[in-house]
Amino acid sequence: MEHVPPPAEELALLDRELARLDARRLQLLSRRSWLVAVLRPPVAPLSPPPPGFRPAAAPFAWGPPRQAAPATGARGAQNVLLVLGGLLLAVAAIAFTLFSWGEMGIAGRSAVLTAVTAGALVAPAPLLGRRLSSTAEALAAVALVLTVLDAYALHAAVLPDTDGLGFAAASSVVLAVAWAAYGLGLGRLRLPLPAAVVMGQFPLVLWAWYADGPAVAFGWALLVTAAADVAVASRGGRLAVRVAAWSGAAVTGSVALLIGLVTSLPAGGAVAAAGPGALLLAGAVVALSAGWRAPREWAVAGGVVAGGAAVAGVGGVLRTGVPWSWAVVVYLLCGAALSAVVRLRAVPRPVVRGVLGASVAVTGAAVLVVLPVVAAVLLGPASLVTDVWSGAPEGVRGAVGASVRWPDAGPAPVVLLVSGALLGAVYAARGRAGGPRTGWWAAAGCGALGLGWAGAVVLPVVVDAPYAVAVVVGLLLVAGLSEVAVRRAPDAVAWTALGCALVGAVGAGLPALAAEPATYTVFGALVVLFAGVAVRSRVAAVRSVAAVASVLCALVVAGAVGASLGWSAPRAAVVVLVVPAVTVGLGLRLRGPAGAPSLPPSLSLSLEFAGAFGALVAVGLSVPDAPYLALVLGLCGVLAAATALRPERRPGAGYLAAGLFVAATWVRLGASGVADPEAYTLPVSVVACGVGFLRRRRDPEASSWVAYGPGLAVTLLPSLVTAWPDPHWPRPLLLGVAALVVTLVGARRRLQAPLVLGGSVLALDALHELAPHVVQVLDALPRWAFPALAGLLLLALGATYEQRLRDARRVRESLGRMR
């Protein structure tokens, strides 16, 4: 029904709609007036408005206002011409200096160079007065190039006996000062001052080269140049000057610090390391002063460079007093000392963050240096998997192996524990401050926990503790980490604790394989620990992971029981099946009222997958012995059938149980050398089909696959396998007749399982019988017949493609409607 508003409400609606239409009309009229005014050319210049006149507001317009096209074409062409002209003049001057200089006398040379250089230097001044700045810049560039050529010509003609490096150093000083004075004199020129800054990068380096100084002397020359650049950049001025100065400082300072680091590392004593250390500390001061006045991002970068240079300088001197393997600890402690900059309130906060970043970088580099030791401790015992219970060694290093030079691995636990303590202090300080522990703070907590655990794992191996002590320490670490994962909220630290506990369980379990008592002790304790986590934790994901870990450790214990009994792998598979049986029993036992599951779905599913993995392990162990394989498959079928007692698992577990029972029957018949399996399978099929018939009478909606599928498969499939290599005709004939009967019954009663199973077996049996005749026919045909037949078949299918699709769709729908 259509809603008709009351008259008063309808009148209000009409008034509002008319008001909107009036506003829209005024808007369109304003736009039209503005467009007419724009398109109409002005007839005469407008007179100035009278005093007090206020212009009306600009009409509404869509899109950006129209602007006159910028006259960039003329300016661009002018710049191109000036650049080309300057380049040509510079090339001509270079060619003149190099090739035509010797053809003129001393007076001619002086006159030409003086006239050309003076003209090029003086010409920009009047050009700037006439506002021809681009032309002035071009001539100034030519003038600067001419001054360089003058210096070269002076050395080549007047002072040929002077040393080239010394003359170049002196010339660079003179040119830098002259260019700076020229740029300051003609303040409107933009090129001379940045050019003077660039030229100022060379004098000290050339002087050091001329003096044939050591590498540290080059470093000091570069560092002093960088300090001068920082001073120039900090004074402000034009952007081009600041960019040139900061760029020069970055290049020369980086090279100076690199020289200091390269010369500090191989120093053999404190005296030899003092020079590079002083250079690095001076570089740290320069970087700190540069970051003090720089913008925020550059200030952070300056703090990072200053902190890294200070660590390299001080650590380079201090590490000469310890063995080389302990140098990483010295650098780590120096990096930790940088954290004291937080208490210096006078230092800008961006610089403080940069220095702290350098401290973190040094800590990370130290941890990376000792990571191979951690990997060797955790992965070294993996070789015991192929040599189980070979005997417990006296020291734990015997179980880890000799993949690391253990005398040089002493600093590893120190580095890991100190790094973990530093990150833990940062995390605790954040907690005392009351701020949220997220982001980088959470990463600090995770790093502290992980590094502390790694240090505790490596320490017994480095000191070569007794084997039993190392095993107990590993278990205690897993227990502590599991307790952290249980008690904490589900944050990053809790997940890190759980991950370290899992890795620690592997690291403690592998060495335990060296001795039989240790295997039972360690893996039994791990079963209890992870089961306790699965029971006590309030986080579903933690419970699931812990349950899976507990089941996996229980599988190791079950396998060890079989080995202790002296059983072969196929016999031990029966013991391994105890673990999946326990998981199935837990799923059945832990039921709430009214049969509802009391376990969370994620935990229940994790237990089932872990149990299924244990069943697969048992099947794999029993493969070499067919009778035990049949037994294991049958027991797995029993477990699947028990799982099918749960309503939520009934469909999938029921099919799996039927398949396992059928597979167990086949394997058992094959292992017994039965040539006529029908004598054993047919009674089972009759009983199973009878049970299915009764089930269908009680529940007509039951699927035919549940009622008849297992019973039919028990006989048809083994008979098909037996009939395939049979050279005689009675068995294939009887099998074909039985399959035909089953197919017809399925089609008559509209039952999907008999139709599909009977039809498939019938088709395969017919193919088996026709195969020899088909081979004879194919041998008799010429070779060109095969591609011809294939082409005809493709043409036929292509011509009736839509019809075949409809037929296939109808067949699928018909099968889908069957039970």
Side-chain angles (χ1 to χ4, degrees):
M1 296 177 63
E2 184 178 356
H3 173 69
V4 178
E9 183 179 349
E10 185 177 3
L11 180 60
L13 291 174
L14 292 176
D15 289 339
R16 286 197 294 269
E17 187 65 26
L18 290 172
R20 283 195 294 268
L21 291 175
D22 290 339
R24 180 62 175 168
R25 184 173 182 276
L26 290 176
Q27 184 182 8
L28 293 175
L29 289 175
S30 300
R31 178 66 179 176
R32 181 181 183 280
S33 301
W34 182 79
L35 291 173
V36 170
V38 169
L39 295 176
R40 182 182 302 156
V43 178
L46 299 177
S47 59
F53 174 77
R54 300 182 64 182
F60 179 83
W62 290 283
R66 296 180 60 185
Q67 298 178 355
T72 58
R75 176 73 64 178
Q78 178 189 13
N79 291 333
V80 170
L81 292 176
L82 291 174
V83 170
L84 289 177
L87 288 176
L88 290 176
L89 287 176
V91 170
I94 294 173
F96 168 76
T97 305
L98 294 178
F99 302 108
S100 300
W101 182 258
E103 300 177 0
M104 302 178 64
I106 186 64
R109 301 171 187 174
S110 302
V112 170
L113 282 176
T114 303
V116 174
T117 304
L121 291 173
V122 173
L127 292 175
L128 291 174
R130 295 177 177 272
R131 298 182 179 180
L132 299 176
S133 58
S134 298
T135 307
E137 292 286 351
L139 287 179
V142 174
L144 298 182
V145 174
L146 288 175
T147 55
V148 177
L149 295 177
D150 289 342
Y152 169 76
L154 180 63
H155 178 265
V158 181
L159 302 172
D161 297 330
T162 58
D163 186 82
L165 290 175
F167 184 83
S171 300
S172 60
V173 173
V174 174
L175 289 175
V177 173
W179 289 0
Y182 184 66
L184 293 174
L186 298 178
R188 293 172 60 185
L189 289 177
R190 293 174 293 181
L191 182 61
L193 289 178
V197 172
V198 174
M199 183 60 68
Q201 310 303 310
F202 300 102
L204 293 179
V205 178
L206 293 175
W207 276 115
W209 195 358
Y210 169 69
D212 197 14
V216 177
F218 277 92
W220 279 107
L222 290 167
L223 187 61
V224 172
T225 303
D229 291 332
V230 170
V232 171
S234 302
R235 292 180 60 88
R238 295 177 179 176
L239 178 61
V241 177
R242 295 199 305 273
V243 170
W246 283 122
S247 301
V251 174
T252 54
S254 300
V255 177
L257 294 178
L258 183 61
I259 291 174
L261 181 62
V262 171
T263 54
S264 174
L265 289 177
V271 177
L279 175 61
L280 290 169
L281 288 177
V285 173
V286 172
L288 191 64
S289 62
W292 204 284
R293 301 180 180 87
R296 178 179 178 181
E297 293 78 8
W298 295 104
V300 173
V304 171
V305 175
V311 169
V314 177
V317 177
L318 296 180
R319 64 95 189 155
T320 57
V322 298
W324 175 251
S325 60
W326 287 85
V328 63
V329 178
V330 174
Y331 285 111
L332 175 63
L333 295 177
C334 293
L338 292 178
S339 58
V341 75
V342 177
R343 302 184 180 275
L344 301 178
R345 300 297 180 185
V347 181
R349 292 299 95 184
V351 177
V352 171
R353 283 194 290 272
V355 174
L356 292 179
S359 176
V360 173
V362 171
T363 304
V367 171
L368 289 177
V369 170
V370 301
L371 274 185
V373 179
V374 180
V377 171
L378 293 176
L379 302 179
S383 60
L384 295 175
V385 175
T386 59
D387 195 14
V388 178
W389 296 351
S390 58
E394 295 182 1
V396 70
R397 289 185 189 173
V400 173
S403 58
V404 176
R405 294 184 57 186
W406 296 111
D408 296 336
V414 178
V415 170
L416 294 170
L417 293 175
V418 170
S419 302
L422 292 175
L423 293 178
V426 172
Y427 186 73
R430 182 65 173 180
R432 290 193 297 269
R437 295 176 175 178
T438 57
W440 291 106
W441 304 103
C446 297
L449 184 62
L451 292 175
W453 163 77
V457 169
V458 171
L459 182 60
V461 183
V462 171
V463 300
D464 198 15
Y467 176 77
V469 173
V471 170
V472 172
V473 169
L475 282 178
L476 292 178
L477 288 175
V478 176
L481 293 169
S482 302
E483 190 66 21
V484 172
V486 170
R487 292 183 176 273
R488 286 190 63 90
D491 57 358
V493 177
W495 286 109
T496 302
L498 182 60
C500 291
L502 295 175
V503 178
V506 177
L510 289 177
L513 297 176
E516 183 177 0
T519 301
Y520 284 110
T521 302
V522 172
F523 283 98
L526 292 176
V527 170
V528 176
L529 283 175
F530 286 121
V533 173
V535 172
R536 296 167 54 207
S537 179
R538 297 184 298 273
V539 182
V542 174
R543 299 181 69 183
S544 301
V545 174
V548 172
S550 180
V551 171
L552 295 178
C553 294
L555 290 175
V556 177
V557 174
V561 170
S564 298
L565 294 175
W567 291 355
S568 61
R571 296 184 66 186
V574 181
V575 181
V576 173
L577 278 179
V578 174
V579 178
V582 172
T583 62
V584 173
L586 288 175
L588 293 174
R589 183 71 178 85
L590 300 177
R591 312 289 294 176
S598 61
L599 292 177
S602 59
L603 179 57
S604 178
L605 194 62
S606 301
L607 279 174
E608 291 169 8
F609 275 114
F613 175 76
L616 287 176
V617 171
V619 171
L621 291 174
S622 61
V623 166
D625 194 331
Y628 276 101
L629 176 60
L631 175 61
V632 170
L633 289 174
L635 293 176
C636 291
V638 172
L639 296 179
T643 305
L645 295 177
R646 301 166 57 184
E648 71 275 10
R649 298 288 186 262
R650 184 163 298 162
Y655 290 131
L656 179 61
L660 289 171
F661 284 135
V662 172
T665 304
W666 297 344
V667 174
R668 180 67 260 182
L669 293 176
S672 301
V674 175
D676 299 321
E678 293 83 4
Y680 299 90
T681 61
L682 192 57
V684 177
S685 295
V686 172
V687 175
C689 290
V691 173
F693 177 75
L694 296 177
R695 167 73 184 278
R696 288 271 300 172
R697 289 189 62 183
R698 188 173 63 252
D699 183 13
E701 297 299 324
S703 172
S704 63
W705 288 100
V706 176
Y708 303 114
L712 294 174
V714 165
T715 296
L716 290 178
L717 297 182
S719 298
L720 178 63
V721 174
T722 307
W724 196 264
D726 193 349
H728 306 290
W729 61 269
R731 182 186 298 276
L733 177 60
L734 294 176
L735 178 61
V737 172
L740 178 61
V741 172
V742 171
T743 303
L744 293 176
V745 171
R748 178 69 178 84
R749 305 295 296 178
R750 301 184 61 80
L751 298 175
Q752 190 179 102
L755 180 62
V756 173
L757 285 174
S760 302
V761 172
L762 181 61
L764 292 174
D765 185 66
L767 179 62
H768 171 265
E769 293 302 309
L770 294 176
H773 305 288
V774 173
V775 171
Q776 292 178 2
V777 172
L778 293 179
D779 290 337
L781 289 175
R783 294 187 178 182
W784 57 264
F786 299 107
L789 292 175
L792 291 175
L793 179 60
L794 292 177
L795 288 176
L797 290 177
T800 60
Y801 181 73
E802 297 294 336
Q803 182 63 35
R804 300 288 79 77
L805 284 180
R806 287 193 293 269
D807 294 342
R809 193 177 297 112
R810 281 197 295 270
V811 171
R812 185 185 63 185
E813 293 172 354
S814 300
L815 285 175
R817 288 193 295 268
M818 295 182 180
R819 298 302 302 170

